[in-house]
Amino acid sequence: MYKEKILKEIIKKKFKSKIISIEEFTEACLYGKFGYYNHSNVIGKKGDFITSPEISQLFGDIIGLFILYHWKINLKKKFNFYELGPGKGTLLIDLLNITKRFNDFQKSMNIYLIEKNIKLIEVQKSNILSFNYNPNKISWLKNFSKKNQYPNIIFANEFFDCFPVRQFFKKNQTWYEKMIEIKYNESSIKFKDVIINDKKTLKQLDQYKNSEVLEISNSRDKYFNRICKHIFKFGGMIIVIDYGYKNHPGHFTLQSVYNNKKSNLLDNIGKQDISSLVDFNKLIDLGKKNYLKVEYFSSQREFLLNNGIKEREDKILKVANNKQRILIQKGVKRITDKRDMGNLFKVLVLSKWN
Ligand SMILES: C[S@@+](CC[C@H](N)C(=O)[O-])C[C@H]1O[C@@H](n2cnc3c(N)ncnc32)[C@H](O)[C@@H]1O
């Protein structure tokens, strides 16, 4: 049982202390030895969620063409392509497919896939092999790290929403943290609101003067900051696409999903996905602090339309049969839908072309 093992791991780690932050709980549930990302095959209709590259090939086509364009204009030389959290490898395959006539581009690419999930790495290798691309030309890494001095194009779709968050709220001018109390022997696990006394945390919260409810992911900020520093030093760009906001929505956004349905955070421990909306304002701030240019920020819908998804759709519809037509149109509609993925997802591009 994952639940037993995860709770045991948490309790041991905290030397029997039983109140932990949501961040620590999520970390163990997702990335611990028995965590969700270490054993689950999480993506696709049978998994817990479905992502844009899995919904429509045109998503990868547009990203591939966008990257090719920037490489031609700004680089035209050897570079590293990093994909953070590549899932089933579908986006990379679509990118390689749409750029296959551009030999100089593909020959200039060192591909690095950053993936923690061992099962997904196997899926990625097998899918890439079926596409007739030699997986030996690709390097898999567990964490983002510097491999050489080449410039970088870094892509992340639904990656930064996986990072654990802490939840805070203000009541009668006092900040509280929503935490989790675990009584291992009684098998009881419940939320507990705790007043914050720690000066460092209070100082961090004071930066958000107008907020009463906050979610902060220190691990996400640290990871993103490292990438910004890397781009500043070696050049290139990062494209981040995720569920997210620029102005905090004023309520908690952390959610858990089990079998494609929203679930309770404290249920299905180790068996469900946990994510939260990405604070794009914070990512933009970190980019600016590292002297990167905000090349682009918009909703996913706007980005895809501005970069020619409709024109590409018209082109491939001309050679599609009836069944394919329906699938293509349904896919494009879903990823650009104003009331759904099209608006909920945001696209941020930061760059430094040396
Ligand atoms: C929600 S899925 C998105 C997959 C893919 N980008 C897509 O759009 O289909 C998140 C991916 O990131 C991986 N992942 C999550 N957190 C990670 C981390 N800290 N380091 C490396 N990979 C991670 C997961 O295993 C999975 O491949």
Side-chain angles (χ1 to χ4, degrees):
M1 270 291 283
Y2 293 122
K3 179 176 174 179
E4 281 279 300
K5 288 177 174 163
I6 289 173
L7 292 185
K8 211 168 176 176
E9 192 182 48
I10 293 173
I11 295 286
K12 203 164 76 202
K13 223 165 95 188
K14 284 303 280 184
F15 308 107
K16 306 253 181 247
S17 132
K18 291 161 199 141
I19 298 177
I20 59 166
S21 69
I22 289 182
E23 183 175 38
E24 203 177 338
F25 175 75
T26 312
E27 181 75 35
C29 292
L30 293 184
Y31 301 112
K33 196 164 155 206
F34 308 102
Y36 176 76
Y37 279 123
N38 271 327
H39 59 75
S40 301
N41 203 343
V42 296
I43 302 158
K45 286 207 179 88
K46 288 199 195 98
D48 289 327
F49 45 83
I50 180 150
T51 58
S52 297
E54 301 301 326
I55 293 170
S56 173
Q57 179 208 316
L58 275 85
F59 181 83
D61 287 356
I62 297 302
I63 298 293
L65 294 172
F66 183 85
I67 288 175
L68 174 69
Y69 170 83
H70 280 279
W71 176 80
K72 274 188 166 179
I73 299 284
N74 298 301
L75 288 178
K76 270 226 162 217
K77 57 181 174 191
K78 254 196 173 320
F79 73 106
N80 302 317
F81 174 72
Y82 283 91
E83 186 176 353
L84 313 179
K88 291 181 167 179
T90 309
L91 180 115
L92 175 65
I93 292 171
D94 291 340
L95 179 151
L96 290 170
N97 191 37
I98 192 91
T99 57
K100 65 175 179 269
R101 286 185 298 114
F102 300 89
N103 242 330
D104 48 347
F105 170 77
Q106 292 210 352
K107 276 199 184 133
S108 305
M109 238 177 152
N110 294 311
I111 305 175
Y112 295 98
L113 297 183
I114 315 293
E115 179 58 69
K116 281 220 158 131
N117 183 319
I118 298 161
K119 276 198 182 165
L120 280 180
I121 293 179
E122 290 316 312
V123 174
Q124 290 156 15
K125 285 190 177 157
S126 137
N127 287 347
I128 287 164
L129 192 65
S130 318
F131 170 69
N132 269 336
Y133 193 85
N134 182 356
N136 294 331
K137 287 202 220 159
I138 298 175
S139 306
W140 271 266
L141 306 169
K142 285 228 147 75
N143 276 304
F144 180 81
S145 62
K146 174 191 159 211
K147 287 288 147 191
N148 51 48
Q149 311 247 332
Y150 296 130
N152 308 276
I153 295 183
I154 302 171
F155 178 79
N157 184 58
E158 289 208 46
F159 175 75
F160 285 103
D161 64 348
C162 302
F163 282 72
V165 293
R166 289 173 74 180
Q167 291 189 327
F168 303 98
F169 65 94
K170 212 187 225 173
K171 207 162 76 182
N172 301 330
Q173 297 309 309
T174 304
W175 278 109
Y176 290 77
E177 177 162 7
K178 199 166 249 324
M179 300 186 86
I180 292 170
E181 182 176 38
I182 301 170
K183 289 187 182 148
Y184 184 63
N185 291 338
E186 296 168 28
S187 275
S188 134
I189 171 158
K190 57 183 186 199
F191 288 110
K192 189 174 174 75
D193 299 338
V194 176
I195 293 185
I196 299 166
N197 293 313
D198 158 47
K199 281 198 182 124
K200 195 173 153 205
T201 310
L202 285 171
K203 196 170 163 204
Q204 191 178 12
L205 295 173
D206 276 348
Q207 292 167 18
Y208 300 87
K209 289 212 164 31
N210 300 323
S211 304
E212 305 268 295
V213 172
L214 278 175
E215 270 169 343
I216 294 182
S217 174
N218 292 319
S219 54
R220 179 196 296 148
D221 296 351
K222 204 167 146 197
Y223 201 106
F224 194 72
N225 196 40
R226 238 178 69 219
I227 289 181
C228 290
K229 284 197 182 327
H230 188 81
I231 295 180
F232 175 73
K233 194 159 177 199
F234 301 105
M237 72 174 173
I238 176 160
I239 306 165
V240 181
I241 306 185
D242 237 307
Y243 266 120
Y245 55 85
K246 215 165 164 209
N247 300 313
H248 197 283
H251 56 78
F252 292 136
T253 70
L254 189 79
Q255 64 163 19
S256 43
V257 175
Y258 185 59
N259 282 341
N260 266 308
K261 286 202 188 85
K262 282 197 182 169
S263 52
N264 187 320
L265 181 71
L266 304 183
D267 291 340
N268 317 301
I269 292 179
K271 291 194 284 187
Q272 59 185 4
D273 182 45
I274 303 171
S275 64
S276 56
L277 297 195
V278 171
D279 179 352
F280 275 93
N281 220 8
K282 182 75 198 190
L283 301 190
I284 290 171
D285 260 9
L286 288 169
K288 285 183 178 164
K289 277 191 184 131
N290 284 289
Y291 310 103
L292 302 187
K293 178 179 163 204
V294 181
E295 185 104 33
Y296 194 90
F297 177 76
S298 77
S299 66
Q300 170 165 299
R301 173 186 166 79
E302 232 177 282
F303 173 84
L304 292 173
L305 293 177
N306 283 345
N307 285 284
I309 196 164
K310 279 286 167 201
E311 293 75 2
R312 175 100 194 112
E313 183 186 20
D314 290 346
K315 197 168 167 192
I316 60 171
L317 283 178
K318 284 197 182 116
V319 290
N321 62 32
N322 273 348
K323 207 171 151 197
Q324 290 167 332
R325 284 181 81 84
I326 294 169
L327 273 178
I328 294 164
Q329 287 171 325
K330 247 174 117 174
V332 172
K333 187 168 184 299
R334 188 155 170 206
I335 60 175
T336 56
D337 191 343
K338 264 189 204 152
R339 282 154 314 225
D340 199 1
M341 292 181 91
N343 258 341
L344 286 175
F345 278 80
K346 308 284 185 286
V347 181
L348 171 66
V349 184
L350 298 173
S351 66
K352 177 163 186 279
W353 304 111
N354 288 334

